[in-house]
Amino acid sequence: MLEMNHVSKLFNPGTVDEKIALMDVNLHLKPGDFVTVIGSNGAGKSTLMNIISGVMKPDAGEVRIDGTSIGHLPEFRRSRWIGRVFQDPMAGTAPHMTIEENLAMAHRRGQSRGLSIGVTASKRASFRKHLERLGIGLEDRLRAKVGMLSGGERQALSLLMATFTQPQILLLDEHTAALDPARAELITRITDEIVRDMKLTTLMVTHNMEQAIRLGNRLIMMDKGRIILDVDEERKKSLTVEQLLGEFEQISGHKLSDDRLVLG
Amino acid sequence: MLDFVMKLDGPIELGLLYALMALGVYITFRILDFPDLTVDGSFTTGAAIAAILITNGVNPWLATLAAFAGGMVAGICTGLLHTKGKINGLLSGIIMMIALYSINMRIMGKPNISLSQEEIIFGSIDPIYIMLVIVIIGKLLLDAFFRTDLGLALRATGDNKRMIRSFGANTDTTTILGLSISNGLVALSGAVVAQQSSFADIGSGIGMIVIGLASVIIGEAVLGTGSVFRTTLAVICGSIIYRIVVAAAYEIPWLEASDLKLITAVIVIIALVVPTINRAMKQRSQARRRSIELLAAQGKSKGGAL
Ligand SMILES: Nc1ncnc2c1ncn2[C@@H]1O[C@H](COP(=O)(O)OP(=O)(O)OP(=O)(O)O)[C@@H](O)[C@H]1O
Ligand SMILES: [Mg+2]
């Protein structure tokens, strides 16, 4: 489904500020894989996401989706295959537009946009159904401006907008990190439900170790631009947070440092 | 006073003529969040194209449409400078405004073209009625457009570029489109103003951007900004109110015609500064109330401990 071969990315090459964000990363996801990603600050997790979605171009290596190389495509053309939710709740929605208008824009992901009416009666009915499944009452506020919603509500809406058109790949970059624990748990639960129901191939960066072990069928650990550990479904079932941290120290030679680290 | 009210049809007519320009400014400043200064040039471009075509015997309605198209081309140029040339938005507009001065001069061939002997769109009907129809049609078309898929993408481009890009819209294209519609409307306004006043002048667009901005701000302050439908209506009313304010200012004997631009600048300054001061005062009084509350609560808990 998703293939990354020998992908590298440097920032400020040749200067004193040189940063190795990714170094010869190889990653292959099978259809339906739900992979959690952990790693210290600056390990390259966000860079990995940005290179898949086309926000940045890799310095070397290639990215393929369904066998086709997409390295040359700009971000807006890749959106046909890729759904994303950002860490910042403000980032995934248009605040001065209504919930139904936001959904209508997401509904046309990757299709051409012409002069047909954005929010029709039949679309509105289907939006309502989708919102009902979130279970937080947004279905009654279709005409409310998104700017009026709380961070958690907005993140739930972003998640729905990113997924309800069935993208081939779903990228979640710490999408619960800016929320309080209760809301973060709610969004995590909704994420798990949606991803499993729709069998979406998903990469989820998280700073919550317990969550990283509990969710998904595979776990990868990154450090200094490399994937240093790849845990399969079988091993993941019996893995504990202590084991995971121990393993990290052993391989990388230093403690896992993440300013947003949550053990569980 | 009654005398003044009786004479209101003049300002209302002017307000409607310039409302098209104000709608254009609304699209760039408010919807696209792009401070576009092309307006000063493209207004004159509209007047120039309409005037030169009409004096050469072209049907005035066709000439007016051609002015709209000319404005759109100007907007596309500004958009290309900004998106493809990566030039700062303000600067792109200023560059186009300067370039258009020469282009407008080329179109007109001389600084002033008289239309008093020509057939114009207003013919024998009072311009106020024709303008009312044109402005209402323009407004409704705009409202409808901003509800289409493309229109939504354009609005999102000004609201959250990153988000709409992640859903596959090309924000360069939507920015260019918004600028072209905006400057098309501005040029259209230039074309109808030239016909109503019977001449096109190379300097007619100077200061237009501030007048447009004043209309948008006044309208929003009076009528609010709930939806696109409401805001476009507000902008049109703002344009009319602006003209009434200007007419009232003329009643003051010691003011001169050339003071108009200063008055406009003052209106925009007041409109921009008052909300900021209001917000600051509200915040301060809220902070004061809150600190008194907190202090009282603290005093109580201390009292309890003793
Ligand atoms: N635009 C940029 N310019 C320069 N350096 C950058 C840029 N983006 C990232 N980096 C650097 O690249 C490295 C990887 O950053 P990245 O954001 O991918 O880390 P991360 O794993 O997402 O970290 P975090 O857990 O803090 O989100 C870091 O050293 C970072 O400082
Ligand atoms: Mg990151």
Side-chain angles (χ1 to χ4, degrees), chain A residues 8-24:
Chain A
S8 296
K9 177 78 186 171
L10 291 182
F11 287 107
N12 312 318
T15 70
V16 282
D17 287 334
E18 186 175 277
K19 292 256 164 62
I20 300 172
L22 290 179
M23 201 62 214
D24 197 37

Side-chain angles (χ1 to χ4, degrees), chain A residues 131-175:
Chain A
L131 287 168
E132 268 166 22
R133 283 190 33 211
L134 294 180
I136 52 174
L138 290 183
E139 63 274 14
D140 301 321
R141 300 166 69 187
L142 279 172
R143 292 218 169 95
K145 295 256 165 77
V146 171
M148 309 298 285
L149 305 184
S150 72
E153 288 169 333
R154 243 190 257 193
Q155 228 34 358
L157 180 63
S158 303
L159 193 60
L160 180 60
M161 285 165 60
T163 54
F164 77 148
T165 47
Q166 280 248 314
Q168 260 93 334
I169 312 276
L170 176 63
L171 302 177
L172 307 169
D173 191 355
E174 300 194 42
H175 69 305

Side-chain angles (χ1 to χ4, degrees), chain A residues 11-12 19 21 40-47 174 260:
Chain A
F11 287 107
N12 312 318
K19 292 256 164 62
S40 13
N41 291 124
K45 306 178 296 287
S46 298
T47 307
E174 300 194 42
R260 297 183 290 273

